[in-house]
């Protein structure tokens, strides 16, 4: 490749990476609004993002399309090819984080007006804080190509699993104490499952960052609580 | 490319496609054992597949690795490149179908010995039948590059969503009638959510088959019930 072609190619890879960062920011906003909407019982905030699915889908498709065009036209190898493949996979995980958040927002809208104990939210708020930290951390690790940070996020996922387990037990108790808690607690259980899966997607992205930069795969077995 | 090189390349693509078909068969077995284990309360059957996660992960990684080697070495374009990208994405969806099935198997093991009403299984069995049909159908559509079949599967997913919705209401009633039903029904609710997501993964694979063969993307909005 001529120097001029190499520069143009670098610009294309940079643009691809920037699209991922931009999509990450959109997904973080959807996540934040869904969880604020749920825990503050703010139906407007939650309702504002329930229709974001097609936008997330479009962002993912744009990233996939760009990556495939680069692969077909520039025929990259080694780290450049890994950048393109990682972009396709990370966009998929980001879309799923958004879809999970939208599921939470839908439940926040359904739950408006239901009677409930505010204590039920405590465990969910802890999970939300932790998932938000994992998500923003892995997006920074991607932006800075920070392998050490990505590995730390990969290892941290066990804490979210432990929080979900504890929340699950808590909700069962609530429901068995009083049947009127059943609909509300059932929805919160699905919200906590969504948060746990959002953590899994952050872990997937962390694996992608490590692989993209180093070419190494993380161990097949993830750490267990 | 010389004729000899083209033939070798075709063999590589065929081998990649065969790996997907083989992984599909493994995933269908995991799915079947998990659901039989749950609905027949057969703890041995369910317990036999709870440790399949690393195997599924390894199968996905092998497919990704093969696809990336083909892209880097053969620098395919158009339908050949789409075959490689689709293999990466389909392997990801298949692994997730397996993971969801393992989650169901884990719950089947937890539920062993719990008292419950067999009536609770009726809705779940309907969902299982439908999800199994979608999964085997989309794997056949992939094997035969059958775009019409893939489109039909894509459209069929709404029925599974409707079955899940009805099962959700059923379980709420059970739990509110008798608090002793709460732990059992909660696990079944997560099983039905897993079945609904397995249907989503079949739909994702259907989209991939259409795109792989034709280069066309399915509409961003999926049909709604």
């Amino acid at each position: 490749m001529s120097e001029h072609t190499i520069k143009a190619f670098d610009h294309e890879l940079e643009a691809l990476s920037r699209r991922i960062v931009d999509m990450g920011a959109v997904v973080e906003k959807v996540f934040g609004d869904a969880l604020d909407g749920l825990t503050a019982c703010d139906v407007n905030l939650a309702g504002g993002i329930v229709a974001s699915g097609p936008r997330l889908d479009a962002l993912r498709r744009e990233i996939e399309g760009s990556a495939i065009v680069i692969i077909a036209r520039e025929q990259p190898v080694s780290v450049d090819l890994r950048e393109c493949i990682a972009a396709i996979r990370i966009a998929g995980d980001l879309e799923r984080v958004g879809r999970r958040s939208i599921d939470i927002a839908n439940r926040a809208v359904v739950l408006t007006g239901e009677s409930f104990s505010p204590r039920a939210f405590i465990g969910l708020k802890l999970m939300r804080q932790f998932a938000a930290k994992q998500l923003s951390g892995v997006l920074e690790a991607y932006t800075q190509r920070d392998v050490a940070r990505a590995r730390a996020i990969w290892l941290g996922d066990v804490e979210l699993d432990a929080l979900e387990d504890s929340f699950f037990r808590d909700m069962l108790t609530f429901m068995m104490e009083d049947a009127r808690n059943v609909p509300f607690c059932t929805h919160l259980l699905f919200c906590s499952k969504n948060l746990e899966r959002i953590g899994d997607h952050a872990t997937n992205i962390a694996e992608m960052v490590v692989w993209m930069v180093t070419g190494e795969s993380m161990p097949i077995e993830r750490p267990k609580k």
Side-chain angles (χ1 to χ4, degrees), chain A residues 3-118:
Chain A
E3 202 179 314
H4 179 259
T5 322
I6 291 168
K7 263 199 188 144
F9 176 45
D10 281 349
H11 283 309
E12 283 180 278
L13 282 184
E14 274 166 33
L16 183 66
S17 183
R18 219 162 30 238
R19 276 175 191 270
I20 292 279
V21 174
D22 291 347
M23 182 174 182
V26 171
V27 167
E28 278 193 295
K29 172 88 170 72
V30 169
F31 173 87
D33 284 359
L35 272 298
D36 287 344
L38 178 70
T39 56
C41 301
D42 183 337
V43 69
N44 289 327
L45 203 54
I49 54 110
V50 293
S52 315
R55 184 177 171 209
L56 296 172
D57 195 303
L59 287 171
R60 174 184 57 77
R61 288 179 184 214
E62 281 167 28
I63 289 168
E64 283 174 8
S66 305
I68 290 168
V69 165
I70 296 175
I71 294 171
R73 200 166 51 196
E74 310 290 351
Q75 309 193 321
V77 292
S78 104
V79 66
D80 296 335
L81 177 56
R82 291 203 301 275
E83 285 260 350
C84 296
I85 301 284
I88 293 173
R89 296 201 49 204
I90 292 172
D93 277 302
L94 284 177
E95 188 194 350
R96 287 189 189 98
V97 170
R99 297 265 179 196
R100 295 286 177 166
S101 306
I102 292 169
D103 189 74
I104 292 172
N106 274 319
R107 291 177 195 279
V109 172
V110 169
L111 289 173
T112 306
E114 292 261 348
S115 66
F116 66 94
S117 156

Side-chain angles (χ1 to χ4, degrees), chain A residues 142-160:
Chain A
Y142 173 80
T143 309
Q144 294 157 14
R145 308 297 190 256
D146 185 339
V147 172
R149 181 107 187 251
R151 282 187 203 275
I153 284 156
W154 188 84
L155 287 168
D157 189 54
V158 280
E159 287 189 47
L160 198 54

Side-chain angles (χ1 to χ4, degrees), chain A residues 158-172:
Chain A
V158 280
E159 287 189 47
L160 198 54
D161 292 348
L163 287 173
E164 194 219 350
D165 198 49
S166 148
F167 186 74
F168 181 80
R169 287 159 204 274
D170 222 22
M171 287 301 103
L172 284 197

